[in-house]
């Protein structure tokens, strides 16, 4: 009799865990949009959930490589002895990126007259063959000068909105050199577009972690 009761308890427990697992995965499967993913993360804080953006140009981990192979709406689970981590691809797009370099001149430290003179000289030197990288290291008043002014691949939302409005402009060609003024912030720039606009694949992924029971 006792043996039968214990067996029944084991069956009930196993069935409950199965139902719980099915419910958990069903909830994840039901999430279709980025807004739904963010709401789910907010409501289920114990799952340590987050929405992560993977960029094919920047992220080269094994997990990222595997997730890029999935279609939108697909998911992948990784298990350890302690937990199961689910990654669900919520969105998948090719995003336009631009590659730029810049020289920053601080209007709080230099007069507008000095800035304009400097920028004319910088542009003239570049057009005579001086490398922009060397000009940035010499003139830029920004820590990025150490990298020759290279800003890397950037897209909408990566930069200060006032700066983006000027530099993420499709009218600029590769090797175009131009100036940007943001008077409200006293920021003044010489910008060089270094590469053609590139469409880079990005995925937005819901990550949630469930303890192993």
């Amino acid at each position: 009799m006792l043996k039968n009761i214990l067996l029944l308890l084991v069956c009930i427990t196993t069935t409950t865990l199965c139902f719980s697992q099915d419910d958990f995965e069903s909830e994840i499967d039901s999430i279709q949009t980025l807004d739904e993913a963010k709401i789910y993360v907010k409501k289920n804080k114990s799952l340590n959930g987050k929405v992560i953006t993977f960029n094919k140009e920047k992220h080269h981990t094994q997990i990222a490589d595997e997730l890029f192979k999935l279609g939108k709406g697909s998911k992948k689970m990784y298990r350890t002895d302690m937990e199961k981590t689910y990654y669900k691809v919520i969105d998948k797009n090719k995003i336009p990126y631009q590659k730029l370099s810049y020289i920053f001149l601080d209007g709080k430290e230099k007069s507008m007259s000095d800035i304009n003179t400097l920028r004319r000289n910088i542009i003239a030197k570049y057009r005579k063959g001086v490398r922009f990288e060397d000009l940035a290291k010499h003139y830029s008043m920004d820590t990025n000068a150490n990298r020759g002014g290279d800003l890397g691949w950037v897209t909408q939302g990566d930069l200060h909105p006032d700066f983006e409005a000027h530099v993420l402009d499709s009218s600029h060609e590769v090797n175009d050199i131009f100036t940007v003024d943001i008077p409200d912030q006293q920021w003044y720039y010489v910008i060089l577009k270094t590469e053609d606009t590139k469409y880079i694949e990005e995925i937005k992924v819901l990550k949630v972690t469930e303890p192993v029971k």
Side-chain angles (χ1 to χ4, degrees), residues 21 24 46-47 81-85 209-213:
Q21 178 66 27
F24 181 76
S46 64
L47 299 176
D81 292 339
M82 302 295 295
E83 60 189 22
K84 289 188 255 183
T85 301
T209 300
E210 180 193 31
V212 173
K213 297 176 183 178

Side-chain angles (χ1 to χ4, degrees), residues 48-113:
N48 296 319
K50 61 176 73 173
V51 176
I52 306 171
T53 298
F54 288 95
N55 179 293
K56 210 161 193 176
E57 189 75 24
K58 299 176 183 177
H59 301 107
H60 301 288
T61 62
Q62 182 180 341
I63 289 177
D65 290 343
E66 290 175 354
L67 293 175
F68 274 112
K69 294 175 184 175
L70 301 179
K72 181 178 175 181
S74 300
K75 71 177 186 292
K76 195 169 186 70
M77 186 267 285
Y78 297 87
R79 180 179 181 133
T80 67
D81 292 339
M82 302 295 295
E83 60 189 22
K84 289 188 255 183
T85 301
Y86 293 82
Y87 294 85
K88 178 169 181 178
V89 178
I90 301 297
D91 209 354
K92 192 171 190 176
N93 288 296
K94 288 192 174 181
I95 308 295
Y97 275 79
Q98 297 194 41
K99 200 164 193 289
L100 309 163
S101 290
Y102 69 88
I103 293 169
F104 169 67
L105 301 172
D106 191 346
K108 295 174 184 174
E109 296 187 23
K110 290 187 178 294
S111 70
M112 200 64 238
S113 175

Side-chain angles (χ1 to χ4, degrees), residues 33-209:
T33 68
L34 192 57
D35 284 343
E36 288 173 357
K38 290 177 179 177
I39 291 169
Y40 183 79
V41 167
K42 193 172 181 180
K43 286 184 176 179
N44 297 276
K45 294 182 180 179
S46 64
L47 299 176
N48 296 319
K50 61 176 73 173
V51 176
I52 306 171
T53 298
F54 288 95
N55 179 293
K56 210 161 193 176
E57 189 75 24
K58 299 176 183 177
H59 301 107
H60 301 288
T61 62
Q62 182 180 341
I63 289 177
D65 290 343
E66 290 175 354
L67 293 175
F68 274 112
K69 294 175 184 175
L70 301 179
K72 181 178 175 181
S74 300
K75 71 177 186 292
K76 195 169 186 70
M77 186 267 285
Y78 297 87
R79 180 179 181 133
T80 67
D81 292 339
M82 302 295 295
E83 60 189 22
K84 289 188 255 183
T85 301
Y86 293 82
Y87 294 85
K88 178 169 181 178
V89 178
I90 301 297
D91 209 354
K92 192 171 190 176
N93 288 296
K94 288 192 174 181
I95 308 295
Y97 275 79
Q98 297 194 41
K99 200 164 193 289
L100 309 163
S101 290
Y102 69 88
I103 293 169
F104 169 67
L105 301 172
D106 191 346
K108 295 174 184 174
E109 296 187 23
K110 290 187 178 294
S111 70
M112 200 64 238
S113 175
D114 287 343
I115 286 171
N116 286 332
T117 299
L118 266 176
R119 292 198 294 190
R120 283 195 297 270
N121 290 338
I122 288 167
I123 291 170
K125 287 181 179 182
Y126 174 76
R127 287 177 174 159
K128 287 179 180 178
V130 180
R131 296 191 312 166
F132 192 90
E133 176 183 356
D134 295 332
L135 293 167
K137 287 178 179 177
H138 184 72
Y139 290 106
S140 187
M141 301 169 70
D142 186 277
T143 54
N144 197 41
N146 297 327
R147 295 198 298 148
D150 181 25
L151 187 59
W153 290 102
V154 291
T155 192
Q156 204 75 33
D158 288 345
L159 309 170
H160 190 285
D162 293 340
F163 188 70
E164 282 186 353
H166 294 283
V167 301
L168 298 185
D169 184 340
S170 59
S171 67
H172 297 304
E173 303 288 338
V174 176
N175 295 324
D176 275 356
I177 188 166
F178 55 97
T179 61
V180 168
D181 295 354
I182 306 178
D184 289 348
Q185 304 289 340
Q186 293 182 281
W187 297 342
Y188 301 93
Y189 297 87
V190 179
I191 308 289
L192 177 70
K193 182 169 181 177
T194 55
E195 299 207 32
D196 268 327
T197 299
K198 183 177 183 179
Y199 283 80
I200 300 174
E201 189 172 358
E202 280 190 355
I203 50 176
K204 294 195 181 293
V205 177
L206 170 64
K207 175 186 175 184
V208 290
T209 300

